[in-house]
Structures are given as C-alpha cells and as structure tokens.
Amino acid sequence: MLRIELVTGDITVQRVDAIVNAAYSSLLGGGGVDGAIHAAGGPEILAECRRLRATALPGGLPTGEAVATTAGRLHARWVIHTVGPVWPDEGAEADARRRLLAAAYRNSIGLAASLGAASVALPAVSAGVYGWPATDAARVALSTAADAPAPGLIRFVLFSPAMRDVFAEAAAALGIDE
Ligand code: AR6
C-alpha cells in the first residue's frame, strides 16, 4: 500500500530511509536543497559524489536520471541524487522537459525501492532555481509518485506553506489521498 504525505519543512531533518536531492548534473553541490543536504549531511556525501564522477559518471548525471550515495550524518540511509530539467523559455519544449521531470521522480523513487527503502522524502524538484511553475511541478510530482511501483511511504517535503498548499490542491485535483 502506497502512502503519499505532504509536509511543510526542511528535508534534511526527515527520518526516512532515502532523501532525494535536486542536484546539479556535476554532482559537486550547489545552492537550494542541494546545498542544504550537503551542509547537513557532511563531507562524506560529496566524497562519494566525487568517486562517482571519477568512475561511473565521468560526464556527470544526465537530467532525469538518479544515483544513490551515503546519507552521511542525515537520518537516512541514502541520498538519491537526481537532476531535474530547467523550465523551458520556449513553450514548444515544455512536453519533452515535463517527461524529463517525471523521469527524475520515477527514477528516484524506483532506485529507492530497489535499494530496499520503505520510505522516501522528496523536494519539489526543479521548482526553485530551475524555475518550474509550482502548480505544474506539483502535478508532475504527484501523478508520477502515485504510479510508483514501490510500496511504502512517499513524503513530499515542501519548503513553504504556500508550496504545500499548491501540492495539496494538485493532489485533490488528481484524486490522490494525502
Ligand atoms: N528542504 C526542502 N525543500 C527545500 C529546501 C530544504 N532544505 N531548500 C530549498 N528547498 P532548488 P531546483 C526547496 O533550487 O529548482 C541547486 O543549486 C525550494 O524552495 O533547490 O531543482 C542545484 O545544485 C524549491 O521549492 O532546486 C542545481 O544547480 C525546491 O526545494 C539547482 O539548484 C527546489 O529548489 C537545481 O534547481
């Protein structure tokens, strides 16, 4: 049975098996939730990202894909790094980019499940620096999560009450119980 939760708060303090990071493709850190996760989790996470860059991912992590590292000092076993797409300036690009945003969620949740995680916390990927409009971001996030093959808990951790409200409205529109 899949449970979807919407909470307002800081993803770095969640007690779940896996925490998803909205990363930059270099995996070498950045601002926003990425910066917060590295700051709270400590240098072990960055060290493992650097090892991945030196081995499996010399070109960085492609948009829409996901990779796991240690969660360092966080109350989780894994950080799952994914790269969301930047909101396109041209409308014609929107559908292709939207598929990439869905892929980022699907691959993150799928990787968490395959590692054995029973609970996963996710931020609003692409809805910050990458400029994705909140309502659309919420719709993509929730519809993808509702289709996830994994049993267990999917918790969206929204940084502001306003973003939580947007997710709650999208959940209601999609008929998703939260
Ligand atoms: N907990 C939960 N959500 C947070 C937190 C937090 N501690 N901090 C910020 N958010 P963003 P993106 C929210 O910009 O748009 C980075 O520099 C934030 O309010 O972190 O995917 C990376 O290195 C917003 O709603 O990610 C990349 O270069 C959401 O998390 C780039 O930004 C996502 O905002 C990725 O941009």
Side-chain angles (χ1 to χ4, degrees), residues 89-128:
D89 293 332
E90 298 290 331
E93 279 272 323
D95 282 346
R97 299 270 179 104
R98 198 173 280 114
R99 282 194 289 277
L100 283 174
L101 184 56
Y105 281 112
R106 201 170 43 246
N107 289 327
S108 300
I109 294 167
L111 178 54
S114 71
L115 288 167
S119 54
V120 54
L122 301 108
V125 176
S126 292

PDB file of all heavy atoms in Angstrom, residues 89-128:
ATOM      1  N   ASP A  89      12.208  28.188 -21.794  1.00  0.00           N
ATOM      2  CA  ASP A  89      11.725  29.512 -22.176  1.00  0.00           C
ATOM      3  C   ASP A  89      10.693  29.397 -23.290  1.00  0.00           C
ATOM      4  O   ASP A  89       9.738  30.143 -23.356  1.00  0.00           O
ATOM      5  CB  ASP A  89      12.890  30.380 -22.671  1.00  0.00           C
ATOM      6  CG  ASP A  89      13.853  30.683 -21.542  1.00  0.00           C
ATOM      7  OD1 ASP A  89      13.402  30.708 -20.391  1.00  0.00           O
ATOM      8  OD2 ASP A  89      15.052  30.859 -21.811  1.00  0.00           O
ATOM      9  N   GLU A  90      10.900  28.422 -24.173  1.00  0.00           N
ATOM     10  CA  GLU A  90      10.002  28.224 -25.309  1.00  0.00           C
ATOM     11  C   GLU A  90       8.943  27.192 -24.953  1.00  0.00           C
ATOM     12  O   GLU A  90       9.265  26.096 -24.509  1.00  0.00           O
ATOM     13  CB  GLU A  90      10.794  27.696 -26.523  1.00  0.00           C
ATOM     14  CG  GLU A  90      11.854  28.643 -27.027  1.00  0.00           C
ATOM     15  CD  GLU A  90      11.236  29.867 -27.692  1.00  0.00           C
ATOM     16  OE1 GLU A  90      10.122  29.757 -28.234  1.00  0.00           O
ATOM     17  OE2 GLU A  90      11.875  30.934 -27.624  1.00  0.00           O
ATOM     18  N   GLY A  91       7.667  27.516 -25.163  1.00  0.00           N
ATOM     19  CA  GLY A  91       6.565  26.615 -24.834  1.00  0.00           C
ATOM     20  C   GLY A  91       6.663  25.265 -25.521  1.00  0.00           C
ATOM     21  O   GLY A  91       6.271  24.240 -24.966  1.00  0.00           O
ATOM     22  N   ALA A  92       7.215  25.247 -26.750  1.00  0.00           N
ATOM     23  CA  ALA A  92       7.271  24.004 -27.524  1.00  0.00           C
ATOM     24  C   ALA A  92       8.087  22.928 -26.824  1.00  0.00           C
ATOM     25  O   ALA A  92       7.876  21.736 -27.027  1.00  0.00           O
ATOM     26  CB  ALA A  92       7.862  24.285 -28.903  1.00  0.00           C
ATOM     27  N   GLU A  93       9.008  23.335 -26.010  1.00  0.00           N
ATOM     28  CA  GLU A  93       9.884  22.397 -25.300  1.00  0.00           C
ATOM     29  C   GLU A  93       9.221  21.787 -24.067  1.00  0.00           C
ATOM     30  O   GLU A  93       9.729  20.839 -23.487  1.00  0.00           O
ATOM     31  CB  GLU A  93      11.125  23.156 -24.805  1.00  0.00           C
ATOM     32  CG  GLU A  93      12.190  23.354 -25.832  1.00  0.00           C
ATOM     33  CD  GLU A  93      13.131  22.176 -25.854  1.00  0.00           C
ATOM     34  OE1 GLU A  93      13.431  21.626 -24.785  1.00  0.00           O
ATOM     35  OE2 GLU A  93      13.548  21.809 -26.954  1.00  0.00           O
ATOM     36  N   ALA A  94       8.092  22.333 -23.659  1.00  0.00           N
ATOM     37  CA  ALA A  94       7.567  22.004 -22.331  1.00  0.00           C
ATOM     38  C   ALA A  94       7.249  20.524 -22.165  1.00  0.00           C
ATOM     39  O   ALA A  94       7.567  19.933 -21.133  1.00  0.00           O
ATOM     40  CB  ALA A  94       6.340  22.853 -22.019  1.00  0.00           C
ATOM     41  N   ASP A  95       6.653  19.898 -23.194  1.00  0.00           N
ATOM     42  CA  ASP A  95       6.260  18.494 -23.025  1.00  0.00           C
ATOM     43  C   ASP A  95       7.475  17.580 -22.852  1.00  0.00           C
ATOM     44  O   ASP A  95       7.469  16.682 -22.011  1.00  0.00           O
ATOM     45  CB  ASP A  95       5.402  18.030 -24.197  1.00  0.00           C
ATOM     46  CG  ASP A  95       3.971  18.528 -24.058  1.00  0.00           C
ATOM     47  OD1 ASP A  95       3.608  18.990 -22.951  1.00  0.00           O
ATOM     48  OD2 ASP A  95       3.230  18.468 -25.054  1.00  0.00           O
ATOM     49  N   ALA A  96       8.502  17.828 -23.655  1.00  0.00           N
ATOM     50  CA  ALA A  96       9.708  16.998 -23.543  1.00  0.00           C
ATOM     51  C   ALA A  96      10.364  17.182 -22.173  1.00  0.00           C
ATOM     52  O   ALA A  96      10.790  16.221 -21.530  1.00  0.00           O
ATOM     53  CB  ALA A  96      10.683  17.351 -24.651  1.00  0.00           C
ATOM     54  N   ARG A  97      10.414  18.417 -21.728  1.00  0.00           N
ATOM     55  CA  ARG A  97      11.014  18.677 -20.411  1.00  0.00           C
ATOM     56  C   ARG A  97      10.156  18.075 -19.298  1.00  0.00           C
ATOM     57  O   ARG A  97      10.661  17.623 -18.277  1.00  0.00           O
ATOM     58  CB  ARG A  97      11.183  20.176 -20.183  1.00  0.00           C
ATOM     59  CG  ARG A  97      12.081  20.850 -21.180  1.00  0.00           C
ATOM     60  CD  ARG A  97      13.527  20.859 -20.732  1.00  0.00           C
ATOM     61  NE  ARG A  97      14.334  21.506 -21.753  1.00  0.00           N
ATOM     62  CZ  ARG A  97      14.808  22.738 -21.663  1.00  0.00           C
ATOM     63  NH1 ARG A  97      14.592  23.465 -20.599  1.00  0.00           N
ATOM     64  NH2 ARG A  97      15.531  23.247 -22.643  1.00  0.00           N
ATOM     65  N   ARG A  98       8.825  18.128 -19.487  1.00  0.00           N
ATOM     66  CA  ARG A  98       7.925  17.571 -18.464  1.00  0.00           C
ATOM     67  C   ARG A  98       8.159  16.065 -18.325  1.00  0.00           C
ATOM     68  O   ARG A  98       8.132  15.522 -17.224  1.00  0.00           O
ATOM     69  CB  ARG A  98       6.474  17.867 -18.850  1.00  0.00           C
ATOM     70  CG  ARG A  98       5.496  17.738 -17.704  1.00  0.00           C
ATOM     71  CD  ARG A  98       4.104  18.205 -18.081  1.00  0.00           C
ATOM     72  NE  ARG A  98       4.001  19.650 -18.038  1.00  0.00           N
ATOM     73  CZ  ARG A  98       3.789  20.438 -19.097  1.00  0.00           C
ATOM     74  NH1 ARG A  98       3.650  19.920 -20.300  1.00  0.00           N
ATOM     75  NH2 ARG A  98       3.697  21.735 -18.950  1.00  0.00           N
ATOM     76  N   ARG A  99       8.423  15.411 -19.459  1.00  0.00           N
ATOM     77  CA  ARG A  99       8.735  13.968 -19.391  1.00  0.00           C
ATOM     78  C   ARG A  99      10.032  13.738 -18.614  1.00  0.00           C
ATOM     79  O   ARG A  99      10.171  12.756 -17.890  1.00  0.00           O
ATOM     80  CB  ARG A  99       8.821  13.369 -20.799  1.00  0.00           C
ATOM     81  CG  ARG A  99       7.439  13.122 -21.415  1.00  0.00           C
ATOM     82  CD  ARG A  99       7.529  12.236 -22.650  1.00  0.00           C
ATOM     83  NE  ARG A  99       8.131  12.919 -23.785  1.00  0.00           N
ATOM     84  CZ  ARG A  99       7.469  13.737 -24.615  1.00  0.00           C
ATOM     85  NH1 ARG A  99       6.187  13.940 -24.452  1.00  0.00           N
ATOM     86  NH2 ARG A  99       8.085  14.330 -25.614  1.00  0.00           N
ATOM     87  N   LEU A 100      10.977  14.647 -18.757  1.00  0.00           N
ATOM     88  CA  LEU A 100      12.237  14.520 -18.004  1.00  0.00           C
ATOM     89  C   LEU A 100      12.004  14.737 -16.507  1.00  0.00           C
ATOM     90  O   LEU A 100      12.625  14.069 -15.670  1.00  0.00           O
ATOM     91  CB  LEU A 100      13.272  15.529 -18.506  1.00  0.00           C
ATOM     92  CG  LEU A 100      13.958  15.193 -19.820  1.00  0.00           C
ATOM     93  CD1 LEU A 100      14.839  16.367 -20.250  1.00  0.00           C
ATOM     94  CD2 LEU A 100      14.801  13.923 -19.682  1.00  0.00           C
ATOM     95  N   LEU A 101      11.101  15.660 -16.172  1.00  0.00           N
ATOM     96  CA  LEU A 101      10.804  15.872 -14.749  1.00  0.00           C
ATOM     97  C   LEU A 101      10.127  14.628 -14.167  1.00  0.00           C
ATOM     98  O   LEU A 101      10.477  14.173 -13.070  1.00  0.00           O
ATOM     99  CB  LEU A 101       9.919  17.110 -14.558  1.00  0.00           C
ATOM    100  CG  LEU A 101       9.607  17.493 -13.113  1.00  0.00           C
ATOM    101  CD1 LEU A 101      10.871  17.705 -12.293  1.00  0.00           C
ATOM    102  CD2 LEU A 101       8.729  18.750 -13.067  1.00  0.00           C
ATOM    103  N   ALA A 102       9.195  14.059 -14.905  1.00  0.00           N
ATOM    104  CA  ALA A 102       8.552  12.812 -14.456  1.00  0.00           C
ATOM    105  C   ALA A 102       9.601  11.709 -14.302  1.00  0.00           C
ATOM    106  O   ALA A 102       9.576  10.943 -13.337  1.00  0.00           O
ATOM    107  CB  ALA A 102       7.454  12.396 -15.435  1.00  0.00           C
ATOM    108  N   ALA A 103      10.540  11.642 -15.249  1.00  0.00           N
ATOM    109  CA  ALA A 103      11.591  10.617 -15.179  1.00  0.00           C
ATOM    110  C   ALA A 103      12.449  10.801 -13.932  1.00  0.00           C
ATOM    111  O   ALA A 103      12.846   9.825 -13.283  1.00  0.00           O
ATOM    112  CB  ALA A 103      12.453  10.658 -16.440  1.00  0.00           C
ATOM    113  N   ALA A 104      12.731  12.059 -13.572  1.00  0.00           N
ATOM    114  CA  ALA A 104      13.536  12.313 -12.369  1.00  0.00           C
ATOM    115  C   ALA A 104      12.836  11.738 -11.139  1.00  0.00           C
ATOM    116  O   ALA A 104      13.470  11.079 -10.298  1.00  0.00           O
ATOM    117  CB  ALA A 104      13.771  13.818 -12.202  1.00  0.00           C
ATOM    118  N   TYR A 105      11.536  11.947 -11.048  1.00  0.00           N
ATOM    119  CA  TYR A 105      10.788  11.379  -9.917  1.00  0.00           C
ATOM    120  C   TYR A 105      10.714   9.855 -10.003  1.00  0.00           C
ATOM    121  O   TYR A 105      10.950   9.158  -9.017  1.00  0.00           O
ATOM    122  CB  TYR A 105       9.367  11.960  -9.874  1.00  0.00           C
ATOM    123  CG  TYR A 105       9.309  13.333  -9.270  1.00  0.00           C
ATOM    124  CD1 TYR A 105       8.998  14.438 -10.037  1.00  0.00           C
ATOM    125  CD2 TYR A 105       9.584  13.526  -7.917  1.00  0.00           C
ATOM    126  CE1 TYR A 105       8.958  15.705  -9.479  1.00  0.00           C
ATOM    127  CE2 TYR A 105       9.545  14.787  -7.358  1.00  0.00           C
ATOM    128  CZ  TYR A 105       9.227  15.872  -8.146  1.00  0.00           C
ATOM    129  OH  TYR A 105       9.186  17.112  -7.582  1.00  0.00           O
ATOM    130  N   ARG A 106      10.373   9.349 -11.197  1.00  0.00           N
ATOM    131  CA  ARG A 106      10.206   7.897 -11.341  1.00  0.00           C
ATOM    132  C   ARG A 106      11.513   7.174 -11.037  1.00  0.00           C
ATOM    133  O   ARG A 106      11.536   6.173 -10.319  1.00  0.00           O
ATOM    134  CB  ARG A 106       9.732   7.593 -12.772  1.00  0.00           C
ATOM    135  CG  ARG A 106       9.047   6.253 -12.924  1.00  0.00           C
ATOM    136  CD  ARG A 106       8.392   6.107 -14.299  1.00  0.00           C
ATOM    137  NE  ARG A 106       9.229   6.597 -15.367  1.00  0.00           N
ATOM    138  CZ  ARG A 106       8.949   7.662 -16.128  1.00  0.00           C
ATOM    139  NH1 ARG A 106       7.840   8.350 -15.929  1.00  0.00           N
ATOM    140  NH2 ARG A 106       9.771   8.044 -17.086  1.00  0.00           N
ATOM    141  N   ASN A 107      12.614   7.679 -11.584  1.00  0.00           N
ATOM    142  CA  ASN A 107      13.899   7.015 -11.374  1.00  0.00           C
ATOM    143  C   ASN A 107      14.371   7.135  -9.929  1.00  0.00           C
ATOM    144  O   ASN A 107      14.977   6.199  -9.388  1.00  0.00           O
ATOM    145  CB  ASN A 107      14.943   7.588 -12.337  1.00  0.00           C
ATOM    146  CG  ASN A 107      14.674   7.146 -13.771  1.00  0.00           C
ATOM    147  OD1 ASN A 107      14.179   6.047 -13.996  1.00  0.00           O
ATOM    148  ND2 ASN A 107      14.993   7.993 -14.733  1.00  0.00           N
ATOM    149  N   SER A 108      14.083   8.254  -9.279  1.00  0.00           N
ATOM    150  CA  SER A 108      14.479   8.411  -7.868  1.00  0.00           C
ATOM    151  C   SER A 108      13.715   7.441  -6.977  1.00  0.00           C
ATOM    152  O   SER A 108      14.295   6.757  -6.119  1.00  0.00           O
ATOM    153  CB  SER A 108      14.171   9.829  -7.381  1.00  0.00           C
ATOM    154  OG  SER A 108      14.863  10.765  -8.131  1.00  0.00           O
ATOM    155  N   ILE A 109      12.410   7.383  -7.174  1.00  0.00           N
ATOM    156  CA  ILE A 109      11.574   6.512  -6.343  1.00  0.00           C
ATOM    157  C   ILE A 109      11.889   5.042  -6.656  1.00  0.00           C
ATOM    158  O   ILE A 109      11.993   4.210  -5.746  1.00  0.00           O
ATOM    159  CB  ILE A 109      10.080   6.839  -6.568  1.00  0.00           C
ATOM    160  CG1 ILE A 109       9.773   8.255  -6.063  1.00  0.00           C
ATOM    161  CG2 ILE A 109       9.190   5.807  -5.879  1.00  0.00           C
ATOM    162  CD1 ILE A 109       8.420   8.809  -6.511  1.00  0.00           C
ATOM    163  N   GLY A 110      12.086   4.746  -7.934  1.00  0.00           N
ATOM    164  CA  GLY A 110      12.420   3.368  -8.324  1.00  0.00           C
ATOM    165  C   GLY A 110      13.754   2.923  -7.737  1.00  0.00           C
ATOM    166  O   GLY A 110      13.889   1.790  -7.260  1.00  0.00           O
ATOM    167  N   LEU A 111      14.738   3.816  -7.745  1.00  0.00           N
ATOM    168  CA  LEU A 111      16.051   3.471  -7.178  1.00  0.00           C
ATOM    169  C   LEU A 111      15.935   3.268  -5.668  1.00  0.00           C
ATOM    170  O   LEU A 111      16.497   2.313  -5.120  1.00  0.00           O
ATOM    171  CB  LEU A 111      17.061   4.574  -7.505  1.00  0.00           C
ATOM    172  CG  LEU A 111      18.470   4.410  -6.949  1.00  0.00           C
ATOM    173  CD1 LEU A 111      19.067   3.059  -7.333  1.00  0.00           C
ATOM    174  CD2 LEU A 111      19.369   5.550  -7.440  1.00  0.00           C
ATOM    175  N   ALA A 112      15.182   4.135  -5.008  1.00  0.00           N
ATOM    176  CA  ALA A 112      14.986   3.968  -3.558  1.00  0.00           C
ATOM    177  C   ALA A 112      14.363   2.606  -3.274  1.00  0.00           C
ATOM    178  O   ALA A 112      14.808   1.877  -2.377  1.00  0.00           O
ATOM    179  CB  ALA A 112      14.097   5.092  -3.015  1.00  0.00           C
ATOM    180  N   ALA A 113      13.354   2.252  -4.037  1.00  0.00           N
ATOM    181  CA  ALA A 113      12.679   0.959  -3.828  1.00  0.00           C
ATOM    182  C   ALA A 113      13.639  -0.193  -4.088  1.00  0.00           C
ATOM    183  O   ALA A 113      13.670  -1.172  -3.334  1.00  0.00           O
ATOM    184  CB  ALA A 113      11.461   0.867  -4.736  1.00  0.00           C
ATOM    185  N   SER A 114      14.441  -0.091  -5.121  1.00  0.00           N
ATOM    186  CA  SER A 114      15.327  -1.215  -5.447  1.00  0.00           C
ATOM    187  C   SER A 114      16.430  -1.372  -4.404  1.00  0.00           C
ATOM    188  O   SER A 114      16.967  -2.460  -4.207  1.00  0.00           O
ATOM    189  CB  SER A 114      15.896  -1.082  -6.856  1.00  0.00           C
ATOM    190  OG  SER A 114      16.820  -0.043  -6.899  1.00  0.00           O
ATOM    191  N   LEU A 115      16.746  -0.296  -3.701  1.00  0.00           N
ATOM    192  CA  LEU A 115      17.723  -0.395  -2.604  1.00  0.00           C
ATOM    193  C   LEU A 115      17.100  -0.991  -1.344  1.00  0.00           C
ATOM    194  O   LEU A 115      17.802  -1.350  -0.404  1.00  0.00           O
ATOM    195  CB  LEU A 115      18.264   1.000  -2.277  1.00  0.00           C
ATOM    196  CG  LEU A 115      19.219   1.601  -3.317  1.00  0.00           C
ATOM    197  CD1 LEU A 115      19.426   3.086  -3.053  1.00  0.00           C
ATOM    198  CD2 LEU A 115      20.551   0.863  -3.314  1.00  0.00           C
ATOM    199  N   GLY A 116      15.778  -1.040  -1.299  1.00  0.00           N
ATOM    200  CA  GLY A 116      15.084  -1.575  -0.131  1.00  0.00           C
ATOM    201  C   GLY A 116      14.502  -0.515   0.779  1.00  0.00           C
ATOM    202  O   GLY A 116      14.058  -0.822   1.890  1.00  0.00           O
ATOM    203  N   ALA A 117      14.471   0.729   0.325  1.00  0.00           N
ATOM    204  CA  ALA A 117      13.898   1.808   1.146  1.00  0.00           C
ATOM    205  C   ALA A 117      12.379   1.641   1.213  1.00  0.00           C
ATOM    206  O   ALA A 117      11.731   1.423   0.207  1.00  0.00           O
ATOM    207  CB  ALA A 117      14.247   3.164   0.543  1.00  0.00           C
ATOM    208  N   ALA A 118      11.848   1.767   2.414  1.00  0.00           N
ATOM    209  CA  ALA A 118      10.394   1.708   2.597  1.00  0.00           C
ATOM    210  C   ALA A 118       9.792   3.098   2.709  1.00  0.00           C
ATOM    211  O   ALA A 118       8.569   3.253   2.688  1.00  0.00           O
ATOM    212  CB  ALA A 118      10.057   0.899   3.837  1.00  0.00           C
ATOM    213  N   SER A 119      10.646   4.112   2.863  1.00  0.00           N
ATOM    214  CA  SER A 119      10.149   5.484   2.957  1.00  0.00           C
ATOM    215  C   SER A 119      11.132   6.406   2.254  1.00  0.00           C
ATOM    216  O   SER A 119      12.343   6.235   2.359  1.00  0.00           O
ATOM    217  CB  SER A 119       9.995   5.896   4.427  1.00  0.00           C
ATOM    218  OG  SER A 119      11.207   5.681   5.128  1.00  0.00           O
ATOM    219  N   VAL A 120      10.585   7.351   1.517  1.00  0.00           N
ATOM    220  CA  VAL A 120      11.433   8.275   0.767  1.00  0.00           C
ATOM    221  C   VAL A 120      10.857   9.685   0.865  1.00  0.00           C
ATOM    222  O   VAL A 120       9.641   9.865   0.804  1.00  0.00           O
ATOM    223  CB  VAL A 120      11.602   7.804  -0.703  1.00  0.00           C
ATOM    224  CG1 VAL A 120      10.271   7.584  -1.391  1.00  0.00           C
ATOM    225  CG2 VAL A 120      12.454   8.753  -1.517  1.00  0.00           C
ATOM    226  N   ALA A 121      11.744  10.653   1.088  1.00  0.00           N
ATOM    227  CA  ALA A 121      11.343  12.065   1.143  1.00  0.00           C
ATOM    228  C   ALA A 121      11.863  12.764  -0.108  1.00  0.00           C
ATOM    229  O   ALA A 121      13.012  12.552  -0.511  1.00  0.00           O
ATOM    230  CB  ALA A 121      11.911  12.742   2.387  1.00  0.00           C
ATOM    231  N   LEU A 122      11.006  13.580  -0.714  1.00  0.00           N
ATOM    232  CA  LEU A 122      11.386  14.284  -1.939  1.00  0.00           C
ATOM    233  C   LEU A 122      11.065  15.772  -1.837  1.00  0.00           C
ATOM    234  O   LEU A 122      10.021  16.141  -1.293  1.00  0.00           O
ATOM    235  CB  LEU A 122      10.610  13.743  -3.148  1.00  0.00           C
ATOM    236  CG  LEU A 122      10.764  12.260  -3.458  1.00  0.00           C
ATOM    237  CD1 LEU A 122       9.496  11.522  -3.102  1.00  0.00           C
ATOM    238  CD2 LEU A 122      11.110  12.057  -4.915  1.00  0.00           C
ATOM    239  N   PRO A 123      11.927  16.611  -2.418  1.00  0.00           N
ATOM    240  CA  PRO A 123      11.610  18.041  -2.522  1.00  0.00           C
ATOM    241  C   PRO A 123      10.841  18.289  -3.823  1.00  0.00           C
ATOM    242  O   PRO A 123      10.638  17.359  -4.610  1.00  0.00           O
ATOM    243  CB  PRO A 123      13.000  18.681  -2.596  1.00  0.00           C
ATOM    244  CG  PRO A 123      13.803  17.685  -3.376  1.00  0.00           C
ATOM    245  CD  PRO A 123      13.250  16.301  -3.001  1.00  0.00           C
ATOM    246  N   ALA A 124      10.464  19.532  -4.041  1.00  0.00           N
ATOM    247  CA  ALA A 124       9.818  19.924  -5.302  1.00  0.00           C
ATOM    248  C   ALA A 124      10.920  20.156  -6.332  1.00  0.00           C
ATOM    249  O   ALA A 124      11.374  21.288  -6.550  1.00  0.00           O
ATOM    250  CB  ALA A 124       8.976  21.167  -5.100  1.00  0.00           C
ATOM    251  N   VAL A 125      11.344  19.062  -6.967  1.00  0.00           N
ATOM    252  CA  VAL A 125      12.464  19.106  -7.920  1.00  0.00           C
ATOM    253  C   VAL A 125      12.152  20.110  -9.044  1.00  0.00           C
ATOM    254  O   VAL A 125      11.019  20.149  -9.554  1.00  0.00           O
ATOM    255  CB  VAL A 125      12.701  17.696  -8.523  1.00  0.00           C
ATOM    256  CG1 VAL A 125      13.800  17.734  -9.578  1.00  0.00           C
ATOM    257  CG2 VAL A 125      13.035  16.684  -7.422  1.00  0.00           C
ATOM    258  N   SER A 126      13.112  20.904  -9.397  1.00  0.00           N
ATOM    259  CA  SER A 126      13.054  21.910 -10.478  1.00  0.00           C
ATOM    260  C   SER A 126      12.225  23.156 -10.137  1.00  0.00           C
ATOM    261  O   SER A 126      12.187  24.100 -10.937  1.00  0.00           O
ATOM    262  CB  SER A 126      12.530  21.330 -11.808  1.00  0.00           C
ATOM    263  OG  SER A 126      13.439  20.419 -12.355  1.00  0.00           O
ATOM    264  N   ALA A 127      11.568  23.172  -8.987  1.00  0.00           N
ATOM    265  CA  ALA A 127      10.654  24.288  -8.674  1.00  0.00           C
ATOM    266  C   ALA A 127      11.340  25.455  -7.981  1.00  0.00           C
ATOM    267  O   ALA A 127      10.670  26.381  -7.524  1.00  0.00           O
ATOM    268  CB  ALA A 127       9.489  23.786  -7.831  1.00  0.00           C
ATOM    269  N   GLY A 128      12.671  25.434  -7.915  1.00  0.00           N
ATOM    270  CA  GLY A 128      13.408  26.538  -7.300  1.00  0.00           C
ATOM    271  C   GLY A 128      14.222  27.275  -8.348  1.00  0.00           C
ATOM    272  O   GLY A 128      13.669  27.922  -9.245  1.00  0.00           O
TER     273      GLY A 128
END
